Amino acid sequence: MATQEQIEEKIASEDNKQLVPFNPSSDSSKIIVPGIGLHLNSLAISSNNRRNSVNEALSSGPSLPSSDDSFHSPTTAQEFLESLTLASMERGLDPTENDVALAEDFGPGSPKKKRRKVEGEPEACKRCNCKKSKCLKLYCECFAAGVYCIEPCSCQDCFNKPIHEDTVLSTRKQIESRNPLAFAPKVIRTSEPGHEIGDESTKTPASARHKRGCNCKKSSCLKKYCECYQGGVGCSINCRCEGCKNAFGRKDGSVLPETETEPEDDTEANEKNALEISAKQNDNQTIEEQNMNSGLPATPLQFSRTLVQIPYSSSAIIKPPRSLLGIGSSSSNGLYQTHNFGKPSIFKTQSKLENRPFQGICDDDIPEILRGSSFSPGMGIKVSSSPNSKRVSPPHHTSSTSPGRRSGRKKLILQSIPSFPSLTPPQMK
DNA sequence: GAGTTTGAAACT
DNA sequence: CAGTTTCAAACTC
């Protein structure tokens, strides 16, 4: 259908209006936009020029990514917050992937292995294999994760690249308008036992839940077809699955010992998940760090946001506990950037910059958006209207949880970020 | 590697 | 809102 085309057209029109055409050759210096708005493109470009310096990115200024609108510098604190809040934890959190991705992605030959995350392989980032969606739909894991497709992807007619940033952003916006939580992390981790997302009946080891719940009928929630299982979390009352046997926690509340039911490779998965979980738990301590980091290092934008945020935060606009903010820092918008830096250049030098910046990353840190920039002024997160009809419970306190989750990555981030805090909030001009 | 199965996403 | 179709990943052979 014409949809895509329409979208493109739309985008085109939007471009004219809001988006800044970007010159590939532009210098980093240009990147610095007066005020806050760092454009994604800029970032991308900039990242290119200065891949190493995350700080620079920061200094360049906050950019608000999300919707096109965001480009204009948010004047109001609210806007800022909103953008900040969009956090995204990463939707998919595959237990297995996370960390290493970057390196591996490119590394070993990056044979586009489809995504089979095999046990041994740390799966790098998400690599898609889209053929018809142009990587502009949620079918595309990369797109859904808020990251640009990178070389390892085997997608065809891919529009999810920095070059088509406008398209990507507009499409995202569109999708978000339809479903604000579309880019939100699918798995919401709640660190607090009692506070689980809606259901207490189930307790997952990780105390996390899939935001919308699954709808599995044949897989018994024992295969990766099941998003809950895939995310390493148990099914919850939000799930409509039939015959749930989720090893991480069944819908009915019973938790199977992980070792018990495992399908073939579940074991591994379980183990991994378990590891992650444990790691995360451990990480809880560092959660704060993570939060901070989450935004920061990974993406320039995020950085900027974070920085920006500081000022605002003090202003009390921030209702959400900082944790939220932290999380939010990586909003859907931010995702893309995050990607890039996700693997901090520090760690990964630029592997392939063809697409450059953004893509490189893969790591999963992709943020999740708690909220679309557009809604939730309060961030309170009550997204009552979940498009899906399944209720999406807003992560109340995701704070500790989400961030903490990915241990591997976290490490990277932590290391890479050290300087952040010290950055002076760019008050920019 | 090709084909099938599965369930989310998108569409009507 | 429910039903159907499309899509790409997960899985099997």
Side-chain angles (χ1 to χ4, degrees):
Chain A
M1 332 192 165
T3 341
Q4 294 175 347
E5 292 178 359
Q6 290 178 345
I7 292 169
E8 291 180 13
E9 290 180 11
K10 226 189 208 169
I11 292 165
S13 60
E14 287 184 9
D15 277 6
N16 295 337
K17 304 192 250 176
Q18 317 176 341
L19 299 180
V20 178
F22 88 64
N23 306 330
S25 55
S26 60
D27 314 347
S28 56
S29 59
K30 290 182 175 187
I31 295 166
I32 301 176
V33 179
I36 308 174
L38 185 49
H39 194 280
L40 289 177
N41 290 334
S42 309
L43 289 177
I45 295 167
S46 64
S47 59
N48 236 353
N49 295 339
R50 37 210 188 122
R51 346 167 153 172
N52 296 338
S53 50
V54 174
N55 292 338
E56 286 183 359
L58 287 176
S59 60
S60 59
S63 60
L64 310 180
S66 29
S67 2
D68 344 5
D69 310 292
S70 48
F71 290 108
H72 52 6
S73 35
T75 5
T76 61
Q78 257 220 325
E79 283 186 36
F80 239 132
L81 283 182
E82 287 182 358
S83 42
L84 291 176
T85 34
L86 308 177
S88 36
M89 312 182 60
E90 145 165 33
R91 66 214 211 305
L93 315 177
D94 290 304
T96 51
E97 59 188 3
N98 306 346
D99 342 0
V100 202
L102 241 182
E104 312 210 353
D105 272 355
F106 308 110
S110 60
K112 349 189 128 213
K113 49 173 63 225
K114 280 179 151 212
R115 53 185 27 288
R116 259 179 198 202
K117 336 184 151 190
V118 180
E119 37 253 287
E121 311 204 24
E123 117 173 95
C125 321
K126 325 230 145 213
R127 297 191 202 99
C128 68
N129 192 29
C130 307
K131 295 186 171 66
K132 299 182 178 180
S133 67
K134 296 184 180 177
C135 299
L136 288 178
K137 300 209 170 181
L138 293 174
Y139 295 127
C140 175
E141 290 197 357
C142 299
F143 179 77
V147 302
Y148 288 121
C149 289
I150 53 180
E151 263 197 32
C153 292
S154 336
C155 44
Q156 299 173 10
D157 297 327
C158 180
F159 275 71
N160 188 26
K161 295 185 176 178
I163 329 179
H164 298 108
E165 186 175 17
D166 297 342
T167 306
V168 173
L169 292 175
S170 65
T171 302
R172 281 178 64 93
K173 195 176 179 183
Q174 218 174 44
I175 292 172
E176 285 183 338
S177 66
R178 203 185 312 163
N179 175 4
L181 293 179
F183 295 95
K186 292 182 180 175
V187 176
I188 298 172
R189 310 180 123 246
T190 56
S191 54
E192 316 205 346
H195 209 289
E196 304 228 334
I197 298 178
D199 58 357
E200 323 154 330
S201 51
T202 50
K203 16 193 102 196
T204 317
S207 71
R209 287 277 176 291
H210 190 277
K211 113 189 137 182
R212 297 191 332 161
C214 65
N215 192 31
C216 307
K217 304 248 177 1
K218 299 181 178 180
S219 66
S220 299
C221 302
L222 285 174
K223 304 212 168 180
K224 287 188 175 177
Y225 293 125
C226 175
E227 292 195 350
C228 297
Y229 180 84
Q230 187 172 46
V233 302
C235 288
S236 66
I237 53 173
N238 294 331
C239 298
R240 296 177 180 177
C241 48
E242 298 177 2
C244 180
K245 293 180 181 177
N246 192 329
F248 296 99
R250 301 204 266 185
K251 172 163 95 174
D252 57 11
S254 59
V255 176
L256 298 180
E258 293 162 3
T259 51
E260 256 181 35
T261 40
E262 338 212 319
E264 350 78 321
D265 42 343
D266 290 359
T267 333
E268 289 181 356
N270 287 337
E271 290 178 359
K272 289 180 182 179
N273 289 328
L275 290 176
E276 275 204 1
I277 292 166
S278 60
K280 288 169 184 174
Q281 290 177 346
N282 291 339
D283 293 348
N284 283 344
Q285 319 171 357
T286 50
I287 287 168
E288 288 184 358
E289 289 180 357
Q290 259 213 341
N291 288 342
M292 296 181 57
N293 293 338
S294 63
L296 319 174
T299 337
L301 283 184
Q302 290 180 345
F303 283 130
S304 48
R305 288 180 185 173
T306 309
L307 292 178
V308 174
Q309 163 184 348
I310 293 169
Y312 289 101
S313 62
S314 56
S315 35
I317 294 168
I318 303 175
K319 329 177 164 175
R322 61 104 94 279
S323 52
L324 251 185
L325 291 178
I327 295 169
S329 58
S330 55
S331 62
S332 53
N333 303 330
L335 297 184
Y336 285 88
Q337 302 171 357
T338 307
H339 226 359
N340 251 343
F341 300 107
K343 273 154 172 205
S345 19
I346 299 169
F347 291 83
K348 200 170 200 111
T349 55
Q350 55 260 26
S351 25
K352 36 189 55 210
L353 313 174
E354 311 198 344
N355 281 332
R356 53 202 59 163
F358 296 3
Q359 355 205 105
I361 325 226
C362 337
D363 71 338
D364 313 335
D365 34 117
I366 314 179
E368 39 202 334
I369 330 174
L370 289 182
R371 41 223 342 41
S373 45
S374 48
F375 51 170
S376 85
M379 339 192 106
I381 313 191
K382 197 179 196 126
V383 178
S384 53
S385 59
S386 59
N388 301 331
S389 80
K390 299 184 170 180
R391 56 130 105 305
V392 177
S393 47
H396 294 310
H397 41 310
T398 38
S399 47
S400 51
T401 44
S402 49
R405 205 179 181 215
R406 16 191 76 218
S407 53
R409 180 221 271 59
K410 175 198 266 139
K411 292 174 184 176
L412 292 177
I413 293 170
L414 291 175
Q415 293 178 355
S416 58
I417 304 177
S419 49
F420 255 52
S422 50
L423 295 179
T424 55
Q427 288 249 3
M428 306 216 108
K429 11 191 90 252

